[in-house]
Amino acid sequence: EKSTMTLIEKNGYHDSIYINAAKIFQGIHNKKPQDRILVQYGDDSASPLLTFKDEYSQRVSYELAYSALKYQDLLEKILLDSCVYPCQSIPDELTSLLVVMLYDLQDRKFEAREIVDAEEPVAEVRKIEHYLYNFKTKLAAALARCRIKHDALSIEHILPETIRKQEQRASALPLYAWVNTLKISLQDVAKSLETKRFKRVEFVSDLDHYTYCIDQHCHDVLVFPSSLKEELLNLDLFADYKLLLQ
């Protein structure tokens, strides 16, 4: 199951994740002054109804939505420059889904999504996916022009400097995980981590590679290096909800 989840994340997501990410993005996207609006997002007055299959689906839905938010200006420019937007067949209510799926498509280097297990298809997702993929060459060219204009090797270098600095600070923060004492003891967590080559250190400042420490104020909280997020989420301790990432 874990290898399947990783494969889905690498090659695209389930339809339900795109729908939830679009609903989240609809509520958080940057709203521009009326005279600067070129991309219409429809009505977002109602609170979105989010239904998540599991914790993994919830996590990646929010990650996808906030990634689209971070690159909203760039994604809008790509849509406009490629003449993919506006499109009469795509109503404003689906613009958030269009932007979210465009971010994911460029993140996959404009490769087709691979659906590795059966799920009930969502018509809106398949419609937007088909539309974007039909224009992938124009979209890729628009992205390339934007990168050339900014002399950027990747889209991360197109971000404003203030956001890049925030990203650097956030990526350096250690990871905190609660021990779910209803399922496992701290001692058993320590034994399990030892089998995975983790070594306990005394202080956060000592964290490096496969190490962890116990929080000085909350003795059922463990602290890990920020670089280990994906590896941690693939451990049985996290998959079985014995450790809960803060």
Side-chain angles (χ1 to χ4, degrees):
E1 183 181 353
K2 287 174 205 161
S3 61
T4 299
M5 290 197 307
T6 303
L7 191 62
I8 293 170
E9 187 169 356
K10 184 178 180 181
N11 296 322
Y13 303 101
H14 285 156
D15 289 13
S16 59
I17 289 177
Y18 291 116
I19 286 293
N20 281 325
K23 289 178 180 179
I24 297 166
F25 179 80
Q26 179 72 21
I28 63 175
H29 73 274
N30 292 320
K31 298 175 179 63
K32 299 178 180 178
Q34 197 64 33
D35 60 343
R36 291 181 52 215
I37 294 178
L38 297 175
V39 177
Q40 301 286 345
Y41 285 95
D43 181 27
D44 59 355
S45 57
S47 298
L49 180 61
L50 302 172
T51 53
F52 301 109
K53 184 171 63 174
D54 50 33
E55 187 273 338
Y56 167 81
S57 300
Q58 182 180 27
R59 176 174 62 86
V60 295
S61 295
Y62 275 95
E63 285 179 355
L64 185 55
Y66 276 91
S67 293
L69 174 66
K70 185 167 62 175
Y71 293 102
Q72 180 181 332
D73 287 344
L74 172 63
L75 296 169
E76 289 179 357
K77 286 177 184 176
I78 293 172
L79 287 171
L80 293 166
D81 187 38
S82 63
C83 298
V84 170
Y85 181 92
C87 173
Q88 290 184 345
S89 64
I90 297 178
D92 292 346
E93 288 71 25
L94 292 182
T95 302
S96 287
L97 183 59
L98 183 71
V99 171
V100 163
M101 295 191 72
L102 173 58
Y103 171 80
D104 182 57
L105 181 61
Q106 68 77 33
D107 196 42
R108 301 197 315 268
K109 312 300 181 187
F110 297 94
E111 293 293 329
R113 176 171 62 135
E114 294 182 22
I115 302 173
V116 297
D117 61 354
E119 66 156 349
E120 187 173 344
V122 179
E124 293 87 349
V125 171
R126 301 300 168 97
K127 176 181 179 179
I128 296 296
E129 179 177 41
H130 182 70
Y131 180 72
L132 287 173
Y133 199 70
N134 279 346
F135 292 99
K136 67 172 186 174
T137 303
K138 287 187 175 181
L139 291 166
L143 174 58
R145 286 193 293 272
C146 195
R147 284 175 49 193
I148 291 170
K149 179 181 177 181
H150 290 87
D151 193 25
L153 294 175
S154 65
I155 64 171
E156 288 83 2
H157 294 91
I158 300 176
L159 289 172
E161 186 178 356
T162 53
I163 296 181
R164 289 206 303 271
K165 287 182 177 179
Q166 289 175 357
E167 289 277 295
Q168 290 170 357
R169 285 197 295 269
S171 64
L173 291 174
L175 302 171
Y176 290 79
W178 293 89
V179 177
N180 184 354
T181 53
L182 294 175
K183 288 194 169 189
I184 195 170
S185 67
L186 177 61
Q187 291 75 17
D188 287 339
V189 168
K191 290 177 183 177
S192 179
L193 289 173
E194 283 180 16
T195 65
K196 302 297 182 182
R197 298 181 294 128
F198 280 86
K199 178 183 177 182
R200 179 181 167 183
V201 295
E202 288 301 315
F203 304 105
V204 172
S205 57
D206 298 328
L207 291 174
D208 183 38
H209 299 298
Y210 287 90
T211 57
Y212 73 96
C213 68
I214 298 175
D215 186 86
Q216 293 183 1
H217 303 289
C218 299
H219 293 164
D220 56 352
V221 173
L222 304 184
V223 191
F224 297 89
S226 59
S227 58
L228 295 179
K229 183 176 181 179
E230 291 305 318
E231 292 185 61
L232 289 173
L233 291 172
N234 283 324
L235 292 179
D236 289 338
L237 287 170
F238 285 89
D240 298 335
Y241 302 104
K242 294 176 179 177
L243 276 181
L244 306 172
L245 196 63
Q246 178 64 43

